[in-house]
Amino acid sequence: MNQQNSQELMKCIVRAADDRLGQDILALDVQNLTPLADYFVLVTAKNDRQLQAIVESIEEAMEGAGYTIKSKEGQAGTRWYLLDCTDVVVHVFTKDEREHYHLEKLWSDAPIVNLEGILSDEA
């Protein structure tokens, strides 16, 4: 996947998480830091039910846009899902899990993507 396609995928994921009221959505541009992905997207859910809804929303949006999920870690009752979407890795956490692992600090060298324009776009 090229950079433009991975950016479109990241936007699709961010919008889907926002549609289910994901909190503190953060996209990190890691393309110059790791060969694993171009972006990491971090999302916080208020509770287990919302966590599941966010993951399902992302899955549905990706399928509708023609993307596939390479792998998915986590299951009902867990407090953290990881979705490997090839060039975008998505972490959906409960608040406590996000604070515990604090991936933002681990990847502090990564530029933060400005999501304001992405979430206000009509497309």
Side-chain angles (χ1 to χ4, degrees):
M1 188 179 292
N2 65 37
Q3 172 59 26
Q4 184 175 3
N5 288 343
S6 64
Q7 186 176 39
E8 290 304 313
L9 172 58
M10 180 268 299
K11 290 178 180 181
C12 176
I13 290 165
V14 166
R15 288 179 182 131
D18 185 62
D19 283 348
R20 292 296 181 265
L21 305 178
Q23 299 178 331
D24 301 321
I25 301 172
L26 181 69
L28 301 173
D29 183 342
V30 296
Q31 62 186 318
N32 294 321
L33 300 174
T34 180
L36 297 174
D38 289 341
Y39 298 98
F40 287 168
V41 175
L42 312 176
V43 183
T44 301
K46 292 180 190 177
N47 53 48
D48 295 344
R49 178 181 239 158
Q50 185 188 30
L51 186 139
Q52 189 67 40
I54 292 168
V55 170
E56 289 172 4
S57 178
I58 292 169
E59 291 172 327
E60 290 169 8
M62 287 184 58
E63 183 179 325
Y67 298 110
T68 58
I69 295 175
K70 185 176 170 183
S71 67
K72 175 179 165 181
E73 298 293 327
Q75 56 189 344
T78 62
R79 298 173 351 144
W80 180 4
Y81 274 86
L82 182 142
L83 304 173
D84 182 349
C85 307
T86 308
D87 288 335
V88 180
V89 175
V90 185
H91 301 271
V92 184
F93 310 86
T94 59
K95 184 178 179 183
D96 291 342
E97 290 297 299
R98 185 162 176 179
E99 288 174 358
H100 176 75
Y101 288 101
H102 202 32
L103 294 181
E104 296 92 330
K105 184 176 181 182
L106 181 65
W107 292 97
S108 63
D109 291 345
I112 297 172
V113 178
N114 182 349
L115 300 180
E116 189 174 310
I118 293 169
L119 295 174
S120 65
D121 285 348
E122 293 297 319

